Amino acid sequence: MGEFFIYSFFAGMLSFLFPVFVYLDGYADVKENKFCFSLSLYKYLKVFGGYGQIKTDGIAVHISEKKAIFIPYENMTDTRKKFEITKGFQLYRYHQIIETGNPFSPYGVLLAGAIQAVSGGIFSVMQTRHPFLSLKNSTVLSEENNLKVSVQAVTVFNGLVVSIALGKKILEAFINWIRKKRSIALWKKRQNS
């Protein structure tokens, strides 16, 4: 019985430290005003996915046939603060393909060249700072006049990082609760005197 406890403890600790790869695949068509995305673990275990559209006052994200979430532009800064990513969530891979139109026009060729140059500059700086990153950029010229973007981003983390991030959030909420209780007690004390 004791051996089973020891083996299960070490297996649990090993799985706690085992890296988890999260894949985010996205595709956007600017001309059609649609984007779709998929979030999966280890590339094959789909967790979440859907499609969305950009509206005049916000973004509509369709999770299923009957369910959609509308995010107004005013709330986007608050949403970003809620999903703050700690340093333990490491970007591992970023690949993008940008399709732009009209190869027979000098503007189309110039746009494709500018996209390649800017992406190459940004990727070289990122590669210098983080040599383990896999960064790829491709630009495709199509005969139609359009702009399409396809992205695959992979982050890696482990259970220890998630538990530390969760503990940090719980501790922040507890500190805010204590501050609120103290301010209410101080306000009531001033009211009585």
Side-chain angles (χ1 to χ4, degrees):
M1 188 67 177
E3 294 174 356
F4 175 74
F5 177 73
I6 292 172
Y7 290 141
S8 62
F9 174 75
F10 282 116
M13 290 304 294
L14 185 63
S15 66
F16 197 62
L17 298 174
F18 193 73
V20 177
F21 292 89
V22 178
Y23 283 73
L24 174 66
D25 295 307
Y27 173 77
D29 189 348
V30 176
K31 189 176 179 182
E32 296 288 325
N33 189 20
K34 283 190 177 182
F35 64 92
C36 50
F37 61 92
S38 173
L39 189 70
S40 58
L41 298 174
Y42 302 106
K43 192 175 183 177
Y44 300 110
L45 300 170
K46 185 178 176 184
V47 176
F48 186 69
Y51 69 96
Q53 293 178 313
I54 298 174
K55 303 290 184 181
T56 56
D57 53 344
I59 298 175
V61 179
H62 300 270
I63 300 169
S64 67
E65 296 273 335
K66 298 179 181 179
K67 188 174 181 183
I69 299 171
F70 185 74
I71 305 168
Y73 292 130
E74 301 96 34
N75 296 348
M76 285 196 181
T77 55
D78 298 336
T79 306
R80 188 181 59 118
K81 290 176 186 174
K82 287 180 186 175
F83 297 106
E84 178 184 338
I85 297 177
T86 64
K87 290 184 179 180
F89 294 84
Q90 185 64 50
L91 183 65
Y92 179 72
R93 177 187 307 156
Y94 181 82
H95 295 180
Q96 72 179 15
I97 300 171
I98 299 174
E99 182 180 331
T100 183
N102 209 350
F104 307 110
S105 167
Y107 299 116
V109 176
L110 283 174
L111 178 63
I115 290 170
Q116 262 321 99
V118 169
S119 298
I122 293 171
F123 285 3
S124 64
V125 170
M126 289 176 70
Q127 191 76 45
T128 304
R129 291 184 182 172
H130 308 286
F132 58 87
L133 277 177
S134 172
L135 301 168
K136 289 185 183 175
N137 176 48
S138 299
T139 305
V140 179
L141 288 169
S142 68
E143 293 186 13
E144 299 176 10
N145 198 6
N146 59 15
L147 180 62
K148 297 178 183 178
V149 180
S150 179
V151 171
Q152 183 185 63
V154 180
T155 59
V156 63
F157 61 91
N158 59 16
L160 181 63
V161 170
V162 172
S163 64
I164 289 171
L166 187 62
K168 179 184 168 189
K169 289 294 182 185
I170 291 170
L171 187 61
E172 286 174 358
F174 182 68
I175 290 171
N176 289 335
W177 178 76
I178 289 174
R179 286 181 182 161
K180 188 176 178 182
K181 287 289 186 184
R182 281 186 181 173
S183 66
I184 290 172
L186 184 63
W187 181 76
K188 285 183 179 179
K189 195 174 189 181
R190 286 183 185 170
Q191 287 283 346
N192 292 338
S193 59

